[in-house]
Short mmCIF file of all heavy atoms in Angstrom, two decimals:
data_model
loop_
_atom_site.label_atom_id
_atom_site.label_comp_id
_atom_site.label_asym_id
_atom_site.label_seq_id
_atom_site.Cartn_x
_atom_site.Cartn_y
_atom_site.Cartn_z
N SER A 675 -26.60 -16.00 10.70
CA SER A 675 -25.34 -16.74 10.66
C SER A 675 -24.46 -16.21 9.53
O SER A 675 -24.93 -15.55 8.60
CB SER A 675 -25.64 -18.23 10.44
OG SER A 675 -24.45 -18.97 10.25
N LEU A 676 -23.16 -16.54 9.60
CA LEU A 676 -22.22 -16.26 8.50
C LEU A 676 -21.75 -17.55 7.85
O LEU A 676 -20.90 -17.52 6.96
CB LEU A 676 -21.00 -15.49 9.03
CG LEU A 676 -21.27 -14.12 9.67
CD1 LEU A 676 -19.96 -13.52 10.17
CD2 LEU A 676 -21.94 -13.18 8.68
N GLN A 677 -22.31 -18.69 8.27
CA GLN A 677 -21.89 -19.99 7.74
C GLN A 677 -22.50 -20.24 6.36
O GLN A 677 -23.48 -19.60 5.99
CB GLN A 677 -22.30 -21.10 8.70
CG GLN A 677 -21.69 -20.97 10.09
CD GLN A 677 -20.18 -20.94 10.09
OE1 GLN A 677 -19.52 -21.79 9.48
NE2 GLN A 677 -19.60 -19.95 10.75
N PRO A 678 -21.95 -21.18 5.59
CA PRO A 678 -22.46 -21.42 4.23
C PRO A 678 -23.88 -21.96 4.19
O PRO A 678 -24.63 -21.68 3.24
CB PRO A 678 -21.47 -22.41 3.63
CG PRO A 678 -20.73 -22.99 4.78
CD PRO A 678 -20.71 -21.96 5.84
N TRP A 679 -24.26 -22.74 5.21
CA TRP A 679 -25.63 -23.26 5.29
C TRP A 679 -26.22 -22.87 6.65
O TRP A 679 -25.52 -22.86 7.67
CB TRP A 679 -25.68 -24.77 5.12
CG TRP A 679 -25.25 -25.23 3.77
CD1 TRP A 679 -25.99 -25.26 2.62
CD2 TRP A 679 -23.96 -25.74 3.42
NE1 TRP A 679 -25.24 -25.75 1.58
CE2 TRP A 679 -23.99 -26.05 2.04
CE3 TRP A 679 -22.77 -25.97 4.12
CZ2 TRP A 679 -22.90 -26.58 1.36
CZ3 TRP A 679 -21.68 -26.48 3.45
CH2 TRP A 679 -21.75 -26.78 2.09
N VAL A 680 -27.52 -22.59 6.65
CA VAL A 680 -28.17 -22.06 7.84
C VAL A 680 -29.43 -22.88 8.12
O VAL A 680 -30.16 -23.27 7.21
CB VAL A 680 -28.57 -20.58 7.61
CG1 VAL A 680 -29.16 -19.99 8.89
CG2 VAL A 680 -27.36 -19.76 7.17
N ARG A 681 -29.68 -23.11 9.40
CA ARG A 681 -30.92 -23.78 9.78
C ARG A 681 -32.03 -22.74 9.92
O ARG A 681 -32.00 -21.89 10.80
CB ARG A 681 -30.74 -24.53 11.11
CG ARG A 681 -31.97 -25.34 11.50
CD ARG A 681 -31.79 -26.04 12.83
NE ARG A 681 -33.01 -26.73 13.21
CZ ARG A 681 -33.27 -27.16 14.44
NH1 ARG A 681 -32.39 -26.98 15.41
NH2 ARG A 681 -34.41 -27.78 14.70
N ASN A 682 -33.00 -22.79 9.04
CA ASN A 682 -34.11 -21.84 9.03
C ASN A 682 -35.42 -22.44 9.49
O ASN A 682 -36.40 -21.72 9.67
CB ASN A 682 -34.31 -21.26 7.61
CG ASN A 682 -33.15 -20.37 7.19
OD1 ASN A 682 -32.63 -19.61 8.00
ND2 ASN A 682 -32.74 -20.48 5.93
N ARG A 683 -35.46 -23.77 9.67
CA ARG A 683 -36.72 -24.43 10.04
C ARG A 683 -36.56 -25.17 11.36
O ARG A 683 -35.50 -25.71 11.65
CB ARG A 683 -37.13 -25.45 8.97
CG ARG A 683 -37.04 -24.97 7.54
CD ARG A 683 -37.45 -26.10 6.60
NE ARG A 683 -36.93 -25.92 5.27
CZ ARG A 683 -37.03 -26.82 4.30
NH1 ARG A 683 -37.64 -27.98 4.54
NH2 ARG A 683 -36.52 -26.59 3.10
N ASP A 684 -37.64 -25.21 12.11
CA ASP A 684 -37.66 -25.94 13.38
C ASP A 684 -38.85 -26.88 13.38
O ASP A 684 -39.67 -26.88 14.29
CB ASP A 684 -37.74 -24.94 14.54
CG ASP A 684 -37.49 -25.61 15.88
OD1 ASP A 684 -37.02 -26.76 15.90
OD2 ASP A 684 -37.79 -24.98 16.92
N ASP A 685 -38.95 -27.68 12.31
CA ASP A 685 -40.14 -28.50 12.12
C ASP A 685 -39.92 -29.99 12.35
O ASP A 685 -40.84 -30.79 12.20
CB ASP A 685 -40.69 -28.28 10.70
CG ASP A 685 -39.64 -28.51 9.62
OD1 ASP A 685 -38.48 -28.84 9.97
OD2 ASP A 685 -39.97 -28.35 8.44
N SER A 686 -38.68 -30.38 12.73
CA SER A 686 -38.42 -31.81 12.93
C SER A 686 -37.18 -31.99 13.78
O SER A 686 -36.22 -31.21 13.69
CB SER A 686 -38.24 -32.52 11.59
OG SER A 686 -37.85 -33.87 11.79
N ASP A 687 -37.18 -33.04 14.61
CA ASP A 687 -35.98 -33.41 15.36
C ASP A 687 -35.31 -34.64 14.76
O ASP A 687 -34.36 -35.17 15.33
CB ASP A 687 -36.36 -33.73 16.82
CG ASP A 687 -36.64 -32.47 17.62
OD1 ASP A 687 -36.08 -31.41 17.26
OD2 ASP A 687 -37.43 -32.54 18.58
N LEU A 688 -35.82 -35.10 13.64
CA LEU A 688 -35.27 -36.28 12.99
C LEU A 688 -34.65 -35.98 11.63
O LEU A 688 -33.81 -36.74 11.15
CB LEU A 688 -36.37 -37.34 12.82
CG LEU A 688 -36.96 -37.91 14.11
CD1 LEU A 688 -38.09 -38.87 13.80
CD2 LEU A 688 -35.88 -38.60 14.93
N ARG A 689 -35.07 -34.89 11.02
CA ARG A 689 -34.54 -34.52 9.70
C ARG A 689 -34.34 -33.01 9.66
O ARG A 689 -35.30 -32.25 9.77
CB ARG A 689 -35.48 -34.98 8.59
CG ARG A 689 -34.96 -34.76 7.17
CD ARG A 689 -35.94 -35.36 6.16
NE ARG A 689 -35.43 -35.29 4.80
CZ ARG A 689 -35.64 -34.26 3.97
NH1 ARG A 689 -36.36 -33.21 4.39
NH2 ARG A 689 -35.16 -34.27 2.75
N PHE A 690 -33.08 -32.62 9.54
CA PHE A 690 -32.74 -31.20 9.57
C PHE A 690 -32.32 -30.75 8.17
O PHE A 690 -31.42 -31.34 7.57
CB PHE A 690 -31.60 -30.95 10.56
CG PHE A 690 -31.92 -31.35 11.97
CD1 PHE A 690 -31.56 -32.61 12.44
CD2 PHE A 690 -32.59 -30.48 12.82
CE1 PHE A 690 -31.85 -32.99 13.74
CE2 PHE A 690 -32.89 -30.86 14.13
CZ PHE A 690 -32.53 -32.11 14.59
N VAL A 691 -32.97 -29.71 7.69
CA VAL A 691 -32.66 -29.16 6.37
C VAL A 691 -31.91 -27.85 6.58
O VAL A 691 -32.47 -26.88 7.12
CB VAL A 691 -33.93 -28.94 5.54
CG1 VAL A 691 -33.58 -28.33 4.18
CG2 VAL A 691 -34.69 -30.26 5.35
N LEU A 692 -30.67 -27.82 6.17
CA LEU A 692 -29.84 -26.62 6.28
C LEU A 692 -29.76 -25.98 4.89
O LEU A 692 -29.33 -26.64 3.93
CB LEU A 692 -28.44 -26.96 6.79
CG LEU A 692 -28.29 -27.57 8.19
CD1 LEU A 692 -29.06 -26.77 9.24
CD2 LEU A 692 -28.65 -29.04 8.24
N GLU A 693 -30.18 -24.74 4.79
CA GLU A 693 -30.30 -24.08 3.49
C GLU A 693 -29.14 -23.13 3.24
O GLU A 693 -28.55 -22.59 4.17
CB GLU A 693 -31.63 -23.31 3.44
CG GLU A 693 -32.85 -24.20 3.67
CD GLU A 693 -34.12 -23.39 3.85
OE1 GLU A 693 -34.12 -22.17 3.56
OE2 GLU A 693 -35.13 -23.97 4.29
N ARG A 694 -28.85 -22.91 1.95
CA ARG A 694 -27.72 -22.05 1.61
C ARG A 694 -27.92 -20.64 2.16
O ARG A 694 -29.03 -20.11 2.23
CB ARG A 694 -27.52 -21.98 0.10
CG ARG A 694 -28.55 -21.17 -0.65
CD ARG A 694 -28.10 -20.73 -2.05
NE ARG A 694 -27.79 -21.84 -2.92
CZ ARG A 694 -26.57 -22.14 -3.32
NH1 ARG A 694 -25.54 -21.40 -2.92
NH2 ARG A 694 -26.37 -23.15 -4.12
N ASN A 695 -26.82 -20.04 2.57
CA ASN A 695 -26.81 -18.66 3.02
C ASN A 695 -26.66 -17.77 1.79
O ASN A 695 -25.59 -17.76 1.16
CB ASN A 695 -25.64 -18.46 3.99
CG ASN A 695 -25.44 -17.01 4.41
OD1 ASN A 695 -26.19 -16.13 4.01
ND2 ASN A 695 -24.40 -16.77 5.20
N PRO A 696 -27.67 -17.01 1.42
CA PRO A 696 -27.60 -16.23 0.17
C PRO A 696 -26.66 -15.03 0.26
O PRO A 696 -26.39 -14.38 -0.76
CB PRO A 696 -29.05 -15.78 -0.04
CG PRO A 696 -29.65 -15.76 1.32
CD PRO A 696 -28.98 -16.86 2.08
N PHE A 697 -26.12 -14.76 1.46
CA PHE A 697 -25.21 -13.63 1.65
C PHE A 697 -23.79 -14.09 1.98
O PHE A 697 -22.99 -13.31 2.50
CB PHE A 697 -25.74 -12.70 2.74
CG PHE A 697 -27.07 -12.09 2.40
CD1 PHE A 697 -28.26 -12.70 2.79
CD2 PHE A 697 -27.15 -10.91 1.68
CE1 PHE A 697 -29.49 -12.14 2.48
CE2 PHE A 697 -28.38 -10.35 1.36
CZ PHE A 697 -29.56 -10.96 1.75
N TYR A 698 -23.47 -15.34 1.66
CA TYR A 698 -22.16 -15.91 1.98
C TYR A 698 -21.06 -15.15 1.25
O TYR A 698 -21.26 -14.64 0.15
CB TYR A 698 -22.17 -17.39 1.57
CG TYR A 698 -21.01 -18.20 2.08
CD1 TYR A 698 -20.69 -18.25 3.42
CD2 TYR A 698 -20.25 -18.97 1.19
CE1 TYR A 698 -19.64 -19.02 3.88
CE2 TYR A 698 -19.20 -19.75 1.64
CZ TYR A 698 -18.89 -19.77 2.99
OH TYR A 698 -17.85 -20.54 3.44
N HIS A 699 -19.88 -15.11 1.87
CA HIS A 699 -18.83 -14.18 1.42
C HIS A 699 -17.84 -14.75 0.41
O HIS A 699 -16.94 -14.05 -0.02
CB HIS A 699 -18.04 -13.71 2.64
CG HIS A 699 -17.23 -14.80 3.30
ND1 HIS A 699 -17.81 -15.79 4.05
CD2 HIS A 699 -15.90 -15.06 3.31
CE1 HIS A 699 -16.88 -16.60 4.50
NE2 HIS A 699 -15.71 -16.20 4.06
N ARG A 700 -18.00 -16.01 0.03
CA ARG A 700 -17.03 -16.62 -0.90
C ARG A 700 -17.66 -16.84 -2.28
O ARG A 700 -18.81 -17.26 -2.38
CB ARG A 700 -16.55 -17.96 -0.33
CG ARG A 700 -15.69 -17.82 0.91
CD ARG A 700 -15.51 -19.14 1.65
NE ARG A 700 -15.02 -20.22 0.84
CZ ARG A 700 -13.74 -20.63 0.77
NH1 ARG A 700 -12.84 -20.03 1.51
NH2 ARG A 700 -13.39 -21.63 0.01
N VAL A 701 -16.86 -16.60 -3.32
CA VAL A 701 -17.29 -16.87 -4.70
C VAL A 701 -16.16 -17.60 -5.42
O VAL A 701 -15.00 -17.52 -5.02
CB VAL A 701 -17.65 -15.58 -5.47
CG1 VAL A 701 -18.75 -14.81 -4.77
CG2 VAL A 701 -16.42 -14.69 -5.63
N ASP A 702 -16.50 -18.33 -6.49
CA ASP A 702 -15.44 -18.97 -7.26
C ASP A 702 -14.95 -18.03 -8.35
O ASP A 702 -15.49 -16.93 -8.56
CB ASP A 702 -15.89 -20.33 -7.79
CG ASP A 702 -16.93 -20.25 -8.92
OD1 ASP A 702 -17.06 -19.18 -9.54
OD2 ASP A 702 -17.59 -21.28 -9.18
N SER A 703 -13.92 -18.46 -9.07
CA SER A 703 -13.28 -17.57 -10.04
C SER A 703 -14.11 -17.34 -11.29
O SER A 703 -13.74 -16.51 -12.13
CB SER A 703 -11.90 -18.14 -10.43
OG SER A 703 -12.04 -19.46 -10.92
N THR A 704 -15.24 -18.04 -11.42
CA THR A 704 -16.14 -17.78 -12.55
C THR A 704 -17.30 -16.88 -12.15
O THR A 704 -18.20 -16.62 -12.95
CB THR A 704 -16.70 -19.10 -13.13
OG1 THR A 704 -17.62 -19.68 -12.19
CG2 THR A 704 -15.58 -20.09 -13.43
N GLY A 705 -17.32 -16.44 -10.88
CA GLY A 705 -18.37 -15.54 -10.43
C GLY A 705 -19.54 -16.21 -9.76
O GLY A 705 -20.54 -15.54 -9.44
N GLN A 706 -19.47 -17.52 -9.52
CA GLN A 706 -20.56 -18.21 -8.83
C GLN A 706 -20.37 -18.08 -7.32
O GLN A 706 -19.29 -18.37 -6.79
CB GLN A 706 -20.58 -19.69 -9.20
CG GLN A 706 -20.90 -19.98 -10.65
CD GLN A 706 -20.99 -21.48 -10.90
OE1 GLN A 706 -22.07 -22.06 -10.96
NE2 GLN A 706 -19.85 -22.13 -11.03
N GLN A 707 -21.43 -17.67 -6.63
CA GLN A 707 -21.37 -17.58 -5.18
C GLN A 707 -21.42 -18.98 -4.57
O GLN A 707 -22.19 -19.84 -5.00
CB GLN A 707 -22.54 -16.73 -4.67
CG GLN A 707 -22.50 -16.47 -3.17
CD GLN A 707 -23.73 -15.73 -2.67
OE1 GLN A 707 -24.77 -15.74 -3.32
NE2 GLN A 707 -23.62 -15.09 -1.51
N LEU A 708 -20.59 -19.22 -3.60
CA LEU A 708 -20.62 -20.47 -2.85
C LEU A 708 -21.65 -20.35 -1.72
O LEU A 708 -22.05 -19.24 -1.37
CB LEU A 708 -19.23 -20.77 -2.31
CG LEU A 708 -18.12 -20.98 -3.36
CD1 LEU A 708 -16.78 -21.17 -2.68
CD2 LEU A 708 -18.45 -22.15 -4.27
N PRO A 709 -22.11 -21.48 -1.16
CA PRO A 709 -21.76 -22.84 -1.49
C PRO A 709 -22.45 -23.29 -2.77
O PRO A 709 -23.43 -22.69 -3.21
CB PRO A 709 -22.26 -23.63 -0.29
CG PRO A 709 -23.45 -22.85 0.18
CD PRO A 709 -23.10 -21.41 -0.05
N TYR A 710 -21.93 -24.38 -3.35
CA TYR A 710 -22.56 -24.92 -4.56
C TYR A 710 -23.88 -25.62 -4.22
O TYR A 710 -24.88 -25.45 -4.91
CB TYR A 710 -21.63 -25.91 -5.24
CG TYR A 710 -20.45 -25.26 -5.96
CD1 TYR A 710 -19.14 -25.70 -5.74
CD2 TYR A 710 -20.65 -24.23 -6.88
CE1 TYR A 710 -18.07 -25.13 -6.41
CE2 TYR A 710 -19.58 -23.65 -7.55
CZ TYR A 710 -18.28 -24.11 -7.31
OH TYR A 710 -17.22 -23.54 -7.97
N ALA A 711 -23.88 -26.44 -3.17
CA ALA A 711 -25.08 -27.22 -2.83
C ALA A 711 -26.15 -26.32 -2.22
O ALA A 711 -25.86 -25.50 -1.35
CB ALA A 711 -24.74 -28.35 -1.87
N ASP A 712 -27.38 -26.50 -2.66
CA ASP A 712 -28.50 -25.71 -2.12
C ASP A 712 -28.76 -26.04 -0.65
O ASP A 712 -29.04 -25.16 0.15
CB ASP A 712 -29.79 -25.99 -2.90
CG ASP A 712 -29.76 -25.42 -4.30
OD1 ASP A 712 -29.02 -24.44 -4.54
OD2 ASP A 712 -30.48 -25.96 -5.17
N GLU A 713 -28.67 -27.33 -0.32
CA GLU A 713 -29.02 -27.78 1.02
C GLU A 713 -28.08 -28.87 1.50
O GLU A 713 -27.52 -29.63 0.69
CB GLU A 713 -30.45 -28.34 1.05
CG GLU A 713 -31.55 -27.36 0.71
CD GLU A 713 -32.92 -28.00 0.65
OE1 GLU A 713 -32.99 -29.27 0.55
OE2 GLU A 713 -33.91 -27.27 0.68
N VAL A 714 -27.94 -28.95 2.80
CA VAL A 714 -27.37 -30.13 3.46
C VAL A 714 -28.49 -30.70 4.33
O VAL A 714 -29.07 -29.98 5.15
CB VAL A 714 -26.15 -29.77 4.32
CG1 VAL A 714 -25.66 -31.00 5.08
CG2 VAL A 714 -25.03 -29.20 3.47
N VAL A 715 -28.83 -31.95 4.12
CA VAL A 715 -29.90 -32.59 4.87
C VAL A 715 -29.28 -33.61 5.82
O VAL A 715 -28.61 -34.56 5.40
CB VAL A 715 -30.92 -33.28 3.94
CG1 VAL A 715 -32.00 -33.97 4.76
CG2 VAL A 715 -31.54 -32.26 2.99
N MET A 716 -29.51 -33.40 7.12
CA MET A 716 -28.95 -34.26 8.15
C MET A 716 -30.09 -35.07 8.76
O MET A 716 -30.99 -34.51 9.39
CB MET A 716 -28.23 -33.42 9.21
CG MET A 716 -27.19 -32.49 8.62
SD MET A 716 -26.45 -31.32 9.82
CE MET A 716 -25.17 -32.33 10.53
N THR A 717 -30.04 -36.39 8.57
CA THR A 717 -31.11 -37.28 9.04
C THR A 717 -30.60 -38.10 10.21
O THR A 717 -29.53 -38.71 10.14
CB THR A 717 -31.57 -38.21 7.90
OG1 THR A 717 -32.00 -37.42 6.79
CG2 THR A 717 -32.71 -39.09 8.37
N VAL A 718 -31.38 -38.12 11.28
CA VAL A 718 -31.00 -38.86 12.48
C VAL A 718 -31.26 -40.35 12.28
O VAL A 718 -32.34 -40.75 11.82
CB VAL A 718 -31.77 -38.35 13.72
CG1 VAL A 718 -31.38 -39.15 14.96
CG2 VAL A 718 -31.50 -36.86 13.93
N ALA A 719 -30.25 -41.16 12.62
CA ALA A 719 -30.39 -42.61 12.53
C ALA A 719 -29.66 -43.23 13.72
O ALA A 719 -28.80 -42.60 14.33
CB ALA A 719 -29.79 -43.13 11.22
N ASP A 720 -30.03 -44.45 14.05
CA ASP A 720 -29.31 -45.19 15.09
C ASP A 720 -27.84 -45.26 14.69
O ASP A 720 -27.51 -45.72 13.60
CB ASP A 720 -29.90 -46.60 15.21
CG ASP A 720 -29.30 -47.40 16.36
OD1 ASP A 720 -28.11 -47.21 16.66
OD2 ASP A 720 -30.02 -48.23 16.94
N SER A 721 -26.95 -44.79 15.57
CA SER A 721 -25.53 -44.71 15.22
C SER A 721 -24.96 -46.07 14.82
O SER A 721 -24.06 -46.15 13.98
CB SER A 721 -24.73 -44.13 16.39
OG SER A 721 -24.88 -44.93 17.55
#
């Protein structure tokens, strides 16, 4: 993927852990590579 977070695991249909893309193309003006957050965790719940 080229997105900031990537799904690398297929171990659950209830909790999805999306991990940072270490080759992402954006950086901030202090030299830190984006994204800032290591993970986005998406948990399934009754809407």
Side-chain angles (χ1 to χ4, degrees):
S675 174
L676 299 178
Q677 300 302 310
W679 295 279
V680 184
R681 185 182 176 196
N682 292 320
R683 314 179 202 173
D684 191 13
D685 54 0
S686 174
D687 285 333
L688 296 176
R689 185 175 185 270
F690 300 94
V691 179
L692 298 310
E693 302 170 13
R694 73 162 60 250
N695 174 2
F697 297 92
Y698 192 54
H699 67 287
R700 291 166 54 98
V701 302
D702 71 18
S703 56
T704 70
Q706 295 184 100
Q707 185 185 21
L708 298 176
Y710 287 129
D712 290 335
E713 297 175 344
V714 175
V715 178
M716 306 173 84
T717 303
V718 179
D720 185 327
S721 59

